[in-house]
Amino acid sequence: AQRVTQPEKLLSVFKGAPVELKCNYSYSGSPELFWYVQYSRQRLQLLLRHISRESIKGFTADLNKGETSFHLKKPFAQEEDSAMYYCALKGNTPLVFGKGTRLSVIA
Amino acid sequence: ETGVTQSPTHLIKTRGQQVTLRCSSQSGHNTVSWYQQALGQGPQFIFQYYREEENGRGNFPPRFSGLQFPNYSSELNVNALELDDSALYLCASSRDRPNSGNTIYFGEGSWLTVV
C-alpha cells in the first residue's frame, strides 16, 4: 500500500528562521515524491519533485530511501511562504497525498 | 494559469440527488484525474482517464463515475449523494499518457455541499 504521512498539521516559524516540513512515505517500490503548495485563494501547484533535484523558491527536498522520508527545507523563511504544503507520492497509482501541513511565517 | 478550469465553483445539493462536475483541460492534455479533498485532508484519488477510457480507480464506490471527451473536457458524476460527499473536487490534467512523468496541473476545484 502507498501511504504518505505529514506529522505536523501546523508549523509556525519566525521570518528568517529555518523551516523543515516533514514527510514520510510507505511504498515497496521506487517512488516518485513531490511537494505541492497551495497559497491562500489559489489552486494546488507543484513546488518540486525529487527527480529534478532542484531548488524552487529557496526550498529543497532530498529523498532518503533508508528513512523513507522526503522532508522539505528552507534555510530562511519568508512571509510569502505561508501556505498549505502537501507531500505526494506516485507509485503504481496516481498521486497519493498526505494530509498537509499549514506553514505560518510570523513577521 | 494552468489552463484547467472547473465548473461550478460552488454548489449545494440534497442527500440522494445526483451531481455532475465539469472540467476543461488544455489542448493536448490526454490524461485527466479527479480527486476528492475533504476538509482538513489531502486530496484523495478518485479515478483517472486517458483518451476517454478509465485508466485507474481509487477506493470510491461505483456511484462515482466519470467521462472524458475528445475535446479535452471531462465530467465527474456522483449519484445518490451522501452527506460525506461534501468536499472540494479537484480535476488535474497532464500531457500524454499516464505515468509519463509530465507535470500534473490542477484546477481550482468545485466545492460541493450535501445537505
Side-chain angles (χ1 to χ4, degrees):
Chain A
Q2 300 173 192
R3 188 177 298 121
V4 175
T5 303
Q6 293 180 252
E8 303 138 329
K9 284 185 83 169
L10 173 66
L11 182 64
S12 296
V13 301
F14 286 103
K15 178 181 172 181
V19 174
E20 183 179 48
L21 300 170
K22 291 184 167 52
C23 172
N24 288 91
Y25 68 90
S26 173
Y27 180 60
S28 56
S30 290
E32 281 187 70
L33 274 298
F34 305 81
W35 277 98
Y36 279 81
V37 61
Q38 188 167 30
Y39 300 103
S40 179
R41 302 182 191 279
Q42 294 187 29
R43 67 187 69 199
L44 199 60
Q45 57 186 285
L46 178 66
L47 180 62
L48 54 79
R49 58 174 70 187
H50 89 270
I51 58 173
S52 300
R53 301 185 68 83
E54 56 192 345
S55 172
I56 304 292
K57 299 185 179 184
F59 285 98
T60 58
D62 289 318
L63 178 60
N64 185 322
K65 292 187 177 180
E67 296 183 358
T68 60
S69 68
F70 188 57
H71 303 326
L72 183 68
K73 300 176 184 179
K74 184 170 182 176
F76 307 105
Q78 303 298 315
E79 288 179 74
E80 55 265 30
D81 296 330
S82 294
M84 197 73 188
Y85 291 81
Y86 294 95
C87 182
L89 177 154
K90 190 174 177 185
N92 55 7
T93 65
L95 294 171
V96 173
F97 286 86
K99 292 186 177 183
T101 298
R102 180 169 298 282
L103 174 64
S104 177
V105 181
I106 305 163
Chain B
E1 179 58 47
T2 66
V4 182
T5 57
Q6 293 186 241
S7 63
T9 52
H10 296 81
L11 73 165
I12 300 173
K13 289 285 190 177
T14 303
R15 192 170 44 181
Q17 284 188 311
Q18 179 266 343
V19 69
T20 297
L21 307 178
R22 294 181 173 83
C23 173
S24 177
S25 306
Q26 285 184 19
S27 177
H29 280 210
N30 294 311
T31 300
V32 66
S33 305
W34 285 89
Y35 291 81
Q36 181 196 65
Q37 186 174 14
L39 210 58
Q41 304 291 318
Q44 274 199 291
F45 172 67
I46 303 175
F47 45 57
Q48 178 175 269
Y49 278 78
Y50 175 62
R51 296 194 169 181
E52 302 157 53
E53 296 211 1
E54 189 176 293
N55 185 252
R57 190 176 183 92
N59 190 25
F60 281 81
R63 58 190 185 84
F64 285 78
S65 63
L67 286 171
Q68 185 186 25
F69 303 101
N71 64 353
Y72 306 106
S73 66
S74 61
E75 290 180 355
L76 164 65
N77 299 289
V78 188
N79 293 322
L81 283 167
E82 301 176 0
L83 297 179
D84 284 349
D85 296 334
S86 296
L88 177 68
Y89 288 86
L90 297 169
C91 170
S93 72
S94 61
R95 293 185 65 83
D96 299 323
R97 62 191 185 284
N99 299 319
S100 62
N102 289 308
T103 298
I104 297 169
Y105 297 94
F106 282 85
E108 292 189 332
S110 294
W111 279 103
L112 170 65
T113 302
V114 183
V115 297

